[in-house]
Amino acid sequence: MKLSDPLAKLFRTTDVQKKALERLGLSTVQDLFYYFPNRYGDFSKLSYIQTIQKGDTPIIYAEVTKISMKKAYRTGVAMTEATLEDSNGDTIKAVWYSQPYIAKMLPVGTQAKFVGAVSERAGSPYLTNPEYYVEKDGIPVSKTGPLLAEESQELVLYPVYKETKGITSKWLYHKIKKLVADGYLDLFEETIPENILKKYKLPGLQHALIYIHSPKRTEDAEAARKRFAFEEVFLIQLVKQSQRQAYKESGSFVVDPDKKKLAKFEDSLGFTLTNGQKKAVASIFSDLGSETPMSRLLEGDVGSGKTIVAAYAAYATAITRPKDQTFGSLQVGYMAPTEILAKQIFNDFVELFGPFGITVGLITGKTCLKYPSKTSDGPTKISKAQLKKWVANGEVKILVGTHALISKGVLFENLGMVVIDEQHRFGKKQRAALRAKPTEKKAAIKKSKIIKKGLADNDEILPHLLSMTATPIPRTLALTIYGDLDLTVLDEMPPGRKKVITELVDPIQESREDAYEKIRERLAEGRQMYVICPRIFEADPLKTKSLLVKSAVAEAKRLKRDVFPDYRIGVLHSKMKKEEKEEVMQQFTDHKIDILVSTTVVEVGVNVPNATNIIIEGAERYGLSQLHQLRGRVIRSTYQPYCYLFADVKSEKTKERLDALTTAKNGFELAEYDLQFRGTGEMMGNKQSGVSDLAMEAIRNIKLVEAAREEAKNIVESNTLSDYSSLQSRFDNIQETMYLE
Ligand code: ADP
Ligand code: MG
């Protein structure tokens, strides 16, 4: 008997169920125990039949007044149908499929609690496969019973799991109960050190597993959820803190630039840095001046001036000589998420650094450029081989690129710093690969016998790392998923930036037309517009509800036909090939398209200054931070930007929430709103962040996150992880999966 026993061997499962288990990611006993309920139903909360609506999962207390079994004509499946009547005399039908014994269990006259999902047929609601609990001598006897053999105890809370076709919540509950009865629970070994459990009053693992699947009281369920959330955040922190430790143990190049040269560079910018930028530059320079590598995350809204901060640090690096060397200089790798962004940054850098005689290179899948060049005034196209040579011999000081930057064969002579723009779009693997470069470099240094003082003692030389993101996330989430990085937040915008005028529009025809009318004027003045739609293709017309959700493809057609016939309209969505997407983006950038109708794929950070209008269809469907980010697309110019949120504003709540977009100071404020009102799932796909729903819930709790972080730090710094064998093995597992992206 092992926790890794496959479920498929333990339970008889149909093919449909096998597939369903796979979909839920459940293959072993351990997986099933760690499949936690989303919520708990409460048997003490009864509903009256009168109030029941489709989609509810009510609990009713009722008497069986009719019951019969028949076979469904097409499928031959046994179908039991009953009529239930409550104390008000209202009735509802209940239907059980494939459970022919039900009629015997619930003879007419039986009084019981029923709980089940409400469906609708021909306009009247009915319960499908309701669970029932018959009272005997005043004591409710549940059909399933609690997980532990304490049958006399009334089961008040019951777990509700996320279901999928073929697997019901009930099925999951029964199987877990069976595994407990078989003794699997005893196989679980405590992962959290005893003293930590005590300190934070967390239940032990085996108790917590019972509490979470079969709580007697709400407090038990909460204690268990808190424990598992702590466990997850704690494990993530262990991994992050040990990565952090590993960085600290590595060496790096000390960047100690000439102050006079820096002042000249700052003068050349043509504006003064904001206070936020000054502070960011100061922390970065203090990191760069140290022999341990920088690992810093710079967070700031789109347009807050991150690129300039990075450029400043890049300049400082590129004018610094490698230690004990009287020639050459350190180099910088700058990685952007897309070809277009890489090109934009390269062009910016040519302008910024050209006057200082710093050679800048660009490498993407398609193009390699170098500036300055001997043959022309602007950048020249060169071959990849040529560029690689110039990077390897140190002539190219700053290399901007896409993923091509880390593709095999690009080797820097003295890579002092890497900048990763919009880092959340890069997997950790790529980051690791970028940072691994210096090891190869070091091998090369060793070979050529120019081993520097201070470097020779270290196992590994890492470049300083500056990571940047415009995704506003709350502090607790940042501490968790970027726990290995130091955090700097740019929370102010450069002066003179026009605030986006944001309007909530009820998408009824007249209001829509009013908004279109205003936009037409601006298009006529030569501006451009984004239209964001929640879906890609036309929804199934039979599903009336989804009809209301605009699709990008259909909306583009409609806008061309009915609204903006005189303008060029393009479509962009995630199902398009990468090249097609880039092509459309390029056309929009070049103003060969006036209106870009798109799903939310419009790249973060894309810079089309002339696009000053954005319409967001179905705005109520998005989190505030996401809306804020979408809106960030139009603040790139000196023209007044406008954002129209087409949203169902009939709901007071929606209106109140969306109003925050006009009052909040910055994206971080909005991210905190999201966290409090909607949960973190809204702001970042869980897949992307690698954090489960449960831990996301916990991230609302700053104390818990800080405690987990402190404890993990203690263990890593005191190097005592190996004292806790089952924690160590969970750590090893997690570390592996955290790199597998
Ligand atoms: P981000 O990368 O954070 O989205 P950028 O660095 O691209 O923002 O800056 C956006 C624009 O603001 C750029 O055109 C940049 O030149 C300008 N900018 C940056 N910092 C300042 C400042 N302190 N004062 C005025 N303009 C600035
Ligand atoms: Mg930027």
Side-chain angles (χ1 to χ4, degrees), residues 168-186:
T168 61
S169 195
K170 195 167 82 183
W171 189 93
L172 291 162
Y173 178 72
H174 283 257
K175 296 305 176 221
I176 294 170
K177 205 184 141 207
K178 168 106 180 22
L179 293 174
V180 172
D182 291 348
Y184 275 102
L185 191 62
D186 302 333

Side-chain angles (χ1 to χ4, degrees), residues 297-301 304 306 467-475 478 482 487-491 668:
L297 175 67
L298 182 60
E299 249 191 307
D301 275 356
S304 61
K306 297 183 295 297
S467 200
M468 305 196 292
T469 177
T471 309
I473 58 174
R475 213 171 86 80
Y482 305 128
L487 192 62
T488 300
V489 175
L490 279 185
D491 55 5
F668 299 95

Side-chain angles (χ1 to χ4, degrees), residues 271-274 277 300-309 334 348 421-422 468 470 490 494-495 497 605 607 636:
F271 50 71
T272 21
L273 297 179
T274 63
Q277 284 172 318
D301 275 356
V302 171
S304 61
K306 297 183 295 297
T307 308
I308 294 299
V309 171
Y334 191 118
D348 288 352
D421 208 344
E422 294 311 338
M468 305 196 292
L490 279 185
R497 198 59 52 87
N607 192 0
R636 287 290 179 148

